[in-house]
Amino acid sequence: MSAVPAEKAPSWQDQILPILKSFDVRHLVYVPDAGHAAAIRAAELDNGIVSLALTTEEEGIGYLLGAHLGGERGALLMQSSGVGNCLNTLALQTMTRFPLLMLVTMRGDWAEFNPWQNPMGQATEAALKLMGVRTWRADRPEDVPHLVHGAATMAFNGDEACAVLLGQSLIGEKKWVK
């Protein structure tokens, strides 16, 4: 008698887009980042999602306000260094109270090899909070789906600005490759 292998559970990366789709998210805007690669690839293959690569993160906030005014929902995927680019633009959400959901992969965090990432990485959560964004941090894979679901609930049901910070330990140590 042989054992039947258990079905492999989807990774936290593979669970993000289905969670977003369960909230009727139709726009996924991002600055390309390896930590978001699975969600970006899945969105690009999904005819029900508009996926758009941005040239800078703050463009995503204006884009998502436009989607909201058009009656649709979206999410912004970016790296923590991009949060610094968004600070002034976050006033748009404060003044208009549209639902803003951001998923932020962290740099300047555990095992960072690039010291230029450390200042913004260490300031990301505090900077978001100063701009009125509710934040949650995930450092364990099993926490990601729960936190993304909760942040999406608060963003889309309460017209809040919400961010889930995805710790570097989730993605793994980055190596400088020449």
Side-chain angles (χ1 to χ4, degrees):
M1 182 172 179
S2 63
V4 176
E7 189 169 313
K8 186 178 175 186
S11 69
W12 66 266
Q13 295 99 328
D14 291 331
Q15 294 180 60
I16 288 179
L17 189 62
I19 293 168
L20 296 177
K21 288 183 71 172
S22 75
F23 283 90
D24 202 26
V25 165
R26 300 206 184 250
H27 299 265
L28 193 71
V29 296
Y30 59 90
V31 172
D33 175 61
H36 293 301
I40 292 168
R41 277 194 304 268
E44 289 174 344
L45 296 173
D46 190 321
N47 291 331
I49 298 279
V50 175
S51 65
L52 178 68
L54 306 166
T55 56
T56 183
E57 293 82 356
E58 64 266 34
E59 294 172 348
I61 294 172
Y63 181 96
L64 294 178
L65 174 58
H68 172 70
L69 292 173
E72 296 191 343
R73 294 176 169 177
L76 171 59
L77 309 182
M78 65 179 148
Q79 198 177 73
S80 58
S81 54
V83 170
N85 297 337
C86 291
L87 291 179
N88 193 40
T89 312
L90 284 169
L92 189 62
Q93 194 285 332
T94 301
M95 298 308 295
T96 61
R97 304 267 312 153
F98 75 98
L100 176 60
L101 177 61
M102 299 177 283
L103 304 182
V104 181
T105 53
M106 294 302 295
R107 295 291 309 264
D109 199 18
W110 171 81
E112 177 62 57
F113 74 90
N114 181 351
W116 284 90
Q117 294 285 350
N118 292 339
M120 190 63 226
Q122 294 298 308
T124 295
E125 186 168 12
L128 288 168
K129 286 183 175 184
L130 283 170
M131 292 306 295
V133 178
R134 298 181 186 277
T135 63
W136 296 269
R137 184 181 170 94
D139 287 306
R140 300 180 320 157
E142 60 269 26
D143 292 338
V144 174
H146 174 72
L147 293 176
V148 171
H149 177 89
T153 298
M154 292 184 74
F156 297 122
N157 293 344
D159 295 337
E160 298 274 353
C162 298
V164 176
L165 309 180
L166 303 167
Q168 183 66 43
S169 60
L170 287 169
I171 298 154
E173 186 175 356
K174 292 186 177 184
K175 302 283 187 191
W176 183 261
V177 180
K178 292 184 180 180

